[in-house]
Amino acid sequence: MGSSDQPDATPDAAAPQPDNTPVNLEAAFEGAQVHEVLEQLDRELIGLQPVKTRIREIAALLVVDRARKQVGLATTAPSLHMSFTGRPGTGKTTVAERMSQILHRLGYVRKGHVVTATRDDLVGQYIGHTAPKTREMLKKAMGGVLFIDEAYYLYRPENERDYGAEAIEILLQVMENNRDDLVVIFAGYKERMDVFYQSNPGLSSRVANHIDFPDYSAGELLAIARLILAEENYRFSEEAMAAFADYIQRRMQLPFFANARSIRNAIDRARMRQANRLFKGMGRGGLTKLDLMTIEAEDITASRVFSGEVEGLDPSQPITG
């Protein structure tokens, strides 16, 4: 799993240039088209300014590192393995995808793809099963990013027959030996990830970039809802907008809230209610294109969230009640 046959990896430093050699960082930044990825990240994700700032800082470091090599300055390859902490639905997977694109455009990885893995993809149930499973996932991710979700499940010290420690040991070896063609991102709830790193100091020392993804505010969640609707050619009526703002406040207080993921699920259910409402009234005539696009308040307020229940957990329950 070595990286000696990877011509597109970060190049060695060029011959030393005079100290007054001009350097055009803007041209390097534009030439790699990194700005397009950062702009896409801004469009795709509402809020998350601390996260976006950190990604821009990492991109700036990589652009400068590349420029240093081009004028003959020897540099140590930066450690790019990362930790993304936060609750579900805060954009961690999307940011991982954009980060992989940035790394690819700057020549730090060959392909720029993202392979998502969980404990089940890496850890076997029997002796001898873990190593091949882990190495197979690493092989798939080579040239890009391996995104390990809920990474803390790899470590189960209460079970002495658990093989998660073996997977972690293989990850450590490959992270160190293939740092010029693979970035590993560990993700999960912050509190559990903190314990995970404390229990694995060798792993913690290899993860240089820790990025915390905050929960969205109610206003940001409403903006996300409007963005999702616009992408799908839907809109809220004025009354539906107010109803959905109320929905968000109520849903945030209930269990299993998953930020933008919960909002998208709520919109899917509202669309189904809207379709059911239009279908029931189809004999009345007078339907317009605007009717097909508009979510009304009744499509929102029919949710059981308004009676304090988490909708969608029980598939046997209708979404229209």
Side-chain angles (χ1 to χ4, degrees):
M1 205 174 287
S3 55
S4 58
D5 59 344
Q6 298 158 359
D8 293 328
T10 307
D12 294 332
Q17 304 293 312
D19 289 353
N20 61 352
T21 300
V23 175
N24 189 336
L25 280 181
E26 185 176 1
F29 183 70
E30 295 290 333
Q33 297 180 316
V34 172
H35 66 287
E36 294 180 0
V37 181
L38 295 174
E39 288 170 1
Q40 184 180 10
L41 195 61
D42 278 333
R43 290 194 306 271
E44 290 177 333
L45 294 180
I46 300 293
L48 296 179
Q49 286 310 129
V51 174
K52 293 175 181 177
T53 297
R54 189 63 185 276
I55 297 302
R56 287 182 179 276
E57 290 171 350
I58 293 172
L61 171 65
L62 299 180
V63 171
V64 170
D65 184 67
R66 194 184 197 193
R68 286 171 56 88
K69 287 183 173 65
Q70 290 172 348
V71 296
L73 291 170
T75 59
T76 302
S79 176
L80 298 172
H81 302 304
M82 303 178 190
S83 172
F84 288 0
T85 53
R87 295 209 292 174
T90 48
K92 297 187 292 295
T93 303
T94 298
V95 172
E97 290 169 351
R98 300 299 159 256
M99 192 70 241
S100 188
Q101 290 177 355
I102 291 171
L103 295 169
H104 175 57
R105 294 187 181 198
L106 289 171
Y108 282 83
V109 293
R110 287 174 296 122
K111 299 178 183 178
H113 65 305
V114 177
V115 172
T116 299
T118 63
R119 174 189 164 87
D120 289 343
D121 299 308
L122 300 168
V123 181
Q125 295 181 328
Y126 308 102
I127 293 176
H129 285 193
T130 295
K133 289 187 73 170
T134 302
R135 293 192 185 282
E136 178 62 25
M137 292 306 296
L138 286 163
K139 182 179 178 181
K140 289 180 181 178
M142 201 61 62
V145 167
L146 176 62
F147 182 85
I148 304 177
D149 201 13
E150 297 183 313
Y152 34 76
Y153 285 130
L154 291 176
Y155 183 67
R156 291 181 173 173
E158 72 281 359
N159 184 357
E160 61 183 25
R161 298 183 63 184
D162 185 72
Y163 303 110
E166 182 181 357
I168 292 172
E169 187 60 35
I170 294 170
L171 286 168
L172 287 172
Q173 294 173 4
V174 176
M175 286 166 63
E176 186 64 29
N177 296 338
N178 297 78
R179 58 192 297 179
D180 59 348
D181 198 37
L182 175 71
V183 170
V184 179
I185 299 177
F186 298 92
Y189 288 97
K190 180 170 173 44
E191 296 78 11
R192 295 187 187 182
M193 291 299 290
D194 288 344
V195 174
F196 176 62
Y197 289 125
Q198 290 168 8
S199 304
N200 298 275
L203 182 61
S204 180
S205 65
R206 285 173 173 80
V207 178
N209 300 284
H210 291 256
I211 303 177
D212 188 41
F213 288 65
D215 287 337
Y216 289 107
S217 68
E220 289 172 337
L221 291 168
L222 185 57
I224 288 170
R226 297 181 67 180
L227 184 64
I228 292 172
L229 286 173
E231 289 173 347
E232 298 175 350
N233 292 309
Y234 282 87
R235 61 183 286 276
F236 283 134
S237 69
E238 188 174 337
E239 294 79 10
M241 180 83 74
F244 200 78
D246 188 8
Y247 172 94
I248 290 171
Q249 294 288 354
R250 294 169 182 262
R251 183 64 186 89
M252 291 174 74
Q253 307 306 315
L254 295 174
F256 312 110
F257 179 64
N259 286 279
R261 196 175 302 166
S262 291
I263 297 303
R264 181 172 288 280
N265 290 341
I267 288 174
D268 286 345
R269 290 191 286 269
R271 287 177 54 200
M272 200 170 295
R273 288 194 192 92
Q274 182 237 32
N276 191 46
R277 171 174 57 79
L278 295 176
F279 192 77
K280 285 182 177 179
M282 63 182 174
R284 301 170 193 165
L287 199 65
T288 67
K289 176 181 177 181
L290 187 61
D291 292 323
L292 296 177
M293 296 172 60
T294 304
I295 303 294
E296 298 289 358
E298 62 189 284
D299 304 325
I300 307 298
T301 56
S303 169
R304 289 194 299 277
V305 164
F306 286 88
S307 60
E309 300 178 44
V310 179
E311 189 173 58
L313 288 181
D314 186 351
S316 69
Q317 293 293 318
I319 63 165
T320 55

